[in-house]
Amino acid sequence: MKSTQPYQPLLLRILHGLTGLFLIVAILTAFWTYDTYDGRWGSIPLPSYKDIEGIHGTFGLYTLLIFPAFVFYAFRRGQRRLIQPDSFTQLIQPGKPIWWYTLNRLTNTFALIALTFALFSGKMMDEKWLPRGELNHAWYYAHLVAWVIMVVAIALHLLMNVKVGGVPLLMSMFNWQFRDKDSPKLWSTHISQWWSSLRQGSWSNWFRSSHSLLMLEIAILISIIAAWIIPLFK
Ligand code: HEM
Ligand code: HEM
């Protein structure tokens, strides 16, 4: 592999790749579900397939299961690729190269927020609504809006990545090769090092993130936990 090519850490590629893959299937099956049961805002001639709702629910669930690990990664190791305390001042200097990097970080962060909303509103759905023709539930509308926001977020995310790093940057997410330091053989060593540093008090570094990022991370994690708990009381 040429060293000039962008490189993504293996763990990022795995977590980002799984989240992205499950999400894309959830988005496509979501459209098919909408096309089968609803279609009020237009439809395409897909076959009417009632079981698609369950398939969508399954991929939505897979996305929900992997997402907390990705969030954990993005707000810790990947923190510099999310919004920064100085992002706002950089955004009022359009045209400078840093402007695009800042916008890229903003769209990365936006993708995480959009996905939180899509997953949360999905958990508020009831699988009996659409088969019964109940198309006017507030959470159903919220879930539909979440789909539109998610599609916009991914489109912006891809555009910004192409703008700052071109196609090679996009492709770097799908590369299978990894550097020696990233080898899965070292993962057990890394985990035990991480565990012993945690026991020696490194957990206090947790709170060293910028205030707004920490708040956002907590808000996302609380929303995910709430998405599991609230349906238990329905
Ligand atoms: C489907 C195709 C996708 C492609 C080709 C893609 C591509 C990329 C690339 C190339 C980067 C690294 C940017 C850099 O090095 O600065 C990145 C980072 C990121 N992507 Fe995606 N992405 C995709 C989907 C998604 C989706 C669906 C989400 C939704 C949550 C997402 C969220 C993120 C986040 C949060 C980061 C920053 C990670 C970090 O903090 O280290 N991406 N993406
Ligand atoms: C970004 C887009 C979307 C994501 C990430 C997503 C995700 C989810 C999730 C996580 C669930 C809960 C699954 C469970 O508890 O087992 C769900 C349920 C559901 N979603 Fe979506 N969804 C999206 C868009 C849509 C759209 C546009 C529709 C429109 C028809 C839709 C229809 C449903 C239905 C009917 C359910 C209940 C079915 C079930 O729980 O098995 N979703 N979705």
Side-chain angles (χ1 to χ4, degrees):
M1 195 176 24
K2 275 188 266 158
S3 59
T4 47
Q5 280 181 341
Y7 180 77
Q8 305 299 340
L10 182 61
L11 191 58
L12 171 64
R13 273 179 280 158
I14 294 172
L15 296 174
H16 177 279
L18 288 175
T19 309
L21 184 75
F22 295 146
L23 174 61
I24 303 289
V25 182
I27 288 178
L28 297 176
T29 52
F31 186 81
W32 199 345
T33 309
Y34 158 82
D35 212 64
T36 297
Y37 290 99
D38 191 341
R40 282 174 290 174
W41 294 273
S43 61
I44 56 171
L46 286 171
S48 170
Y49 177 44
K50 304 277 179 209
D51 290 345
I52 196 70
E53 189 196 18
I55 298 175
H56 165 71
T58 306
F59 279 95
L61 197 64
Y62 289 163
T63 318
L64 180 66
L65 288 172
I66 190 79
F67 188 52
F70 180 42
V71 168
F72 223 58
Y73 182 96
F75 280 89
R76 308 278 119 206
R77 289 260 200 121
Q79 210 181 80
R80 66 196 163 80
R81 295 194 248 205
L82 300 180
I83 45 162
Q84 307 293 315
D86 56 358
S87 286
F88 186 70
T89 37
Q90 282 161 356
L91 270 184
I92 48 181
Q93 305 176 331
K96 295 200 175 166
I98 188 72
W99 195 68
W100 291 107
Y101 285 98
T102 309
L103 270 190
N104 191 23
R105 289 174 179 153
L106 201 72
T107 48
N108 287 351
T109 315
F110 180 56
L112 293 177
I113 299 171
L115 186 49
T116 309
F117 179 47
L119 295 172
F120 184 86
S121 56
K123 267 295 194 187
M124 298 305 119
M125 288 285 296
D126 186 326
E127 75 247 45
K128 298 187 201 81
W129 290 344
L130 301 191
R132 282 197 212 126
E134 294 176 19
L135 301 179
N136 287 315
H137 288 280
W139 278 118
Y140 176 52
Y141 285 119
H143 201 46
L144 285 174
V145 171
W147 184 91
V148 177
I149 297 176
M150 196 69 245
V151 171
V152 172
I154 295 181
L156 289 176
H157 178 58
L158 296 182
L159 275 174
M160 286 305 146
N161 274 307
V162 168
K163 177 71 196 166
V164 302
V167 176
L169 179 60
L170 284 193
M171 295 326 287
S172 66
M173 260 307 175
F174 302 105
N175 201 321
W176 290 106
Q177 287 156 310
F178 51 82
R179 293 180 183 161
D180 293 345
K181 71 173 175 53
D182 256 4
S183 167
K185 285 188 203 135
L186 295 173
W187 284 1
S188 61
T189 326
H190 287 163
I191 292 172
S192 50
Q193 278 168 356
W194 170 77
W195 181 241
S196 70
S197 71
L198 206 66
R199 285 175 44 181
Q200 283 159 24
S202 76
W203 54 269
S204 57
N205 290 342
W206 195 271
F207 298 100
R208 288 215 191 120
S209 319
S210 85
H211 184 70
S212 41
L213 266 192
L214 187 65
M215 287 300 137
L216 185 60
E217 182 182 10
I218 293 174
I220 291 181
L221 293 174
I222 289 180
S223 309
I224 298 171
I225 296 170
W228 285 107
I229 296 177
I230 296 171
L232 301 177
F233 296 97
K234 278 206 235 159

